[in-house]
Amino acid sequence: MRIIHPIAGALALIIIATFWMATVSSELFGSLDAVAAVKTGIAWGLLLLVPSIALAGGTGFLLARGFRNALVAAKQKRMPLIAGNGLLILVPAALYLAWAANAGAFDSTFVTVQIAELIAGAVNVTLLSLNMRDGLRLTGRLKPVALSRRAA
């Protein structure tokens, strides 16, 4: 579990960040065909993303058993937000956007859902990054930032 958890968490973070960057790039610089290809790729990518997040969450839950630590508590508080955001916003948005893009329906609904997906994706990248930072601190691979006093 100590190997699976960080790999699954890092994979989830990389996948979501890649989806986000591909979306922004295709929307800003690509053709409508490129947007449709990205949206289709993201929909298929859910087959890797959803299990990686579930695996990270499940192994994290098991690793956290018995720990009483502020970093563990912070990670545990973020996970329901990450999962809820993914299941309630990101997955449905990805499936709708893939369908709409392939149907050529680049209308106001598409744009609205796309904006919601980008916001939700940025939130999940942020939350997963914070979880990774805290996990690295828990394992001692990342030292806490020391606060220094300025000379008066």
Side-chain angles (χ1 to χ4, degrees), residues 2 19 71 81 94 119 122 149:
R2 292 187 190 277
F19 287 177
L71 293 174
L81 298 172
I119 292 167
R149 291 187 150 188

Side-chain angles (χ1 to χ4, degrees), residues 13-27 38-39 42 90 114-125:
L13 176 57
I14 289 166
I15 292 169
I16 293 173
T18 301
F19 287 177
W20 199 92
M21 291 184 293
T23 294
V24 170
S25 297
S26 68
E27 291 284 348
V38 166
K39 295 289 116 191
I42 290 171
L90 292 172
Q114 182 62 81
I115 291 168
E117 182 191 48
L118 287 170
I119 292 167
V123 167
N124 268 14
V125 166

Side-chain angles (χ1 to χ4, degrees), residues 5-135:
H5 178 71
I7 291 171
L11 182 60
L13 176 57
I14 289 166
I15 292 169
I16 293 173
T18 301
F19 287 177
W20 199 92
M21 291 184 293
T23 294
V24 170
S25 297
S26 68
E27 291 284 348
L28 292 177
F29 308 113
S31 64
L32 293 179
D33 287 339
V35 171
V38 166
K39 295 289 116 191
T40 301
I42 290 171
W44 282 105
L46 293 175
L47 295 173
L48 182 58
L49 175 60
V50 171
S52 69
I53 287 179
L55 192 57
T59 56
F61 179 78
L62 292 174
L63 287 169
R65 281 190 302 187
F67 270 87
R68 298 281 186 247
N69 181 302
L71 293 174
V72 171
K75 288 173 61 98
Q76 288 174 329
K77 284 182 183 176
R78 288 185 205 114
M79 280 313 296
L81 298 172
I82 293 166
N85 193 14
L87 291 174
L88 299 174
I89 299 170
L90 292 172
V91 170
L95 297 174
Y96 169 78
L97 292 168
W99 170 83
N102 284 295
F106 296 101
D107 55 10
S108 61
T109 302
F110 180 92
V111 173
T112 302
V113 173
Q114 182 62 81
I115 291 168
E117 182 191 48
L118 287 170
I119 292 167
V123 167
N124 268 14
V125 166
T126 301
L127 294 173
L128 286 166
S129 296
L130 291 170
N131 272 7
M132 180 179 277
R133 179 203 63 195
D134 289 347

